[in-house]
């Protein structure tokens, strides 16, 4: 089989990890994720335009997601795109319903994310998992995968940090124990 330039059997073969081993596979995917990350960040910036608040939020969530991936494991090819695109539905929600409510964001975000992910060339299986995470990222317990937990916690960390400026810091440990899904 002749592959497109820059494409390896590691990109599409379901046995790739077994074939080359975890260490080689994970290193390859991490390096590949860097260029994917750059493409997705550019698409996010194009999508949100001058809305630096939303772009910066996504970048912060992505930063926490990368840290959690290093500690918890998880799939970089799933979590990084989900972290970058998790809130893309808010723009459509505000335009279509006049509201940024989580329900509308989750409902509308998957279609926007799917278009962007197809455009940057992700595999359909990966797109489905990423969209499933985006569709439920405000609802802990609906999905119980490690990839979901990492994205959920990364988003919570950013939101918690932003919200703690105005709250009682003594209640933080109890809140952390209640909210977060990863160690």
């Amino acid at each position: 089989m002749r592959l497109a330039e820059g494409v390896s059997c590691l990109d599409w073969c379901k046995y790739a990890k077994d074939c080359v081993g975890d260490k080689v596979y994970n290193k390859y995917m991490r390096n590949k994720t860097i260029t994917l990350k750059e493409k997705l960040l550019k698409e996010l910036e194009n999508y949100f335009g001058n809305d630096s608040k939303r772009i910066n939020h996504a970048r912060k969530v992505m930063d926490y997601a990368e840290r959690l991936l290093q500690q918890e494991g998880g799939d970089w090819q799933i979590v990084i795109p989900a972290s970058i695109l998790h809130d893309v539905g808010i723009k459509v929600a505000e335009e279509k319903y006049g509201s940024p409510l989580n329900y509308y964001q989750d409902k509308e975000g998957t279609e926007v994310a799917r278009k962007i992910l197809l455009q940057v060339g992700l595999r359909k299986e990966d797109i489905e998992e990423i969209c499933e995470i985006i569709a439920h990222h405000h609802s802990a317990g609906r999905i119980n995968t490690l990839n979901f937990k990492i994205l959920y916690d990364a988003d919570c960390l950013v939101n918690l940090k932003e919200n703690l400026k105005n709250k009682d810091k003594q209640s933080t440990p109890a809140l952390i124990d209640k909210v977060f899904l990863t160690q």
Side-chain angles (χ1 to χ4, degrees):
M1 174 189 291
R2 185 174 168 92
L3 300 175
E5 186 177 330
V7 176
S8 162
C9 61
L10 298 177
D11 293 312
W12 56 267
C13 180
K14 66 181 180 178
Y15 302 109
K17 191 181 258 188
D18 296 331
C19 185
V20 298
D22 284 348
K23 188 175 182 179
V24 170
Y25 180 80
N26 289 337
K27 183 178 179 182
Y28 176 81
M29 287 304 184
R30 214 170 288 133
N31 289 337
K32 188 157 184 79
T33 302
I34 292 168
T35 58
L36 173 62
K37 178 171 75 171
E38 292 166 356
K39 288 178 186 177
L40 287 171
L41 286 169
K42 186 71 174 157
E43 291 297 326
L44 183 76
E45 290 169 1
N46 290 338
Y47 179 73
F48 278 125
N50 293 328
D51 192 344
S52 60
K53 179 182 175 188
R54 302 251 164 76
I55 294 166
N56 290 336
H57 174 78
R59 285 180 174 278
K60 289 175 190 173
V61 171
M62 181 194 67
D63 289 342
Y64 278 117
E66 288 177 326
R67 291 186 212 171
L68 288 168
L69 279 162
Q70 289 174 347
Q71 292 178 0
E72 301 288 331
D75 188 338
W76 289 73
Q77 288 282 110
I78 301 298
V79 176
I80 296 304
S83 69
I84 293 169
L85 300 175
H86 74 284
D87 276 345
V88 293
I90 196 167
K91 183 176 176 181
V92 177
E94 288 175 335
E95 291 169 356
K96 195 171 182 179
Y97 306 103
S99 171
L101 287 176
N102 294 345
Y103 170 79
Y104 296 130
Q105 284 184 52
D106 295 351
K107 179 180 175 183
E108 301 297 335
T110 56
E111 212 44 52
V112 176
R114 183 172 279 109
K115 287 177 187 172
I116 293 170
L117 294 167
L118 284 168
Q119 191 173 329
V120 298
L122 259 69
R123 298 182 312 174
K124 290 195 189 282
E125 309 86 60
D126 291 345
I127 291 172
E128 291 310 312
E129 183 175 353
I130 293 163
C131 287
E132 185 72 11
I133 291 170
I134 290 170
H136 298 97
H137 82 276
H138 290 111
S139 310
R142 300 282 303 271
I143 302 175
N144 200 26
T145 66
L146 179 58
N147 293 331
F148 173 82
K149 290 176 182 180
I150 291 170
L151 179 274
Y152 182 85
D153 283 0
D155 194 26
C156 284
L157 282 165
V158 173
N159 292 331
L160 179 68
K161 192 172 184 180
E162 291 171 359
N163 291 334
L164 276 181
K165 295 173 190 170
N166 305 322
K167 300 225 179 193
D168 173 22
K169 295 188 188 222
Q170 291 179 339
S171 65
T172 303
L175 183 62
I176 289 170
D177 288 340
K178 180 180 174 187
V179 171
F180 291 98
L181 303 176
T182 63
Q183 291 299 315

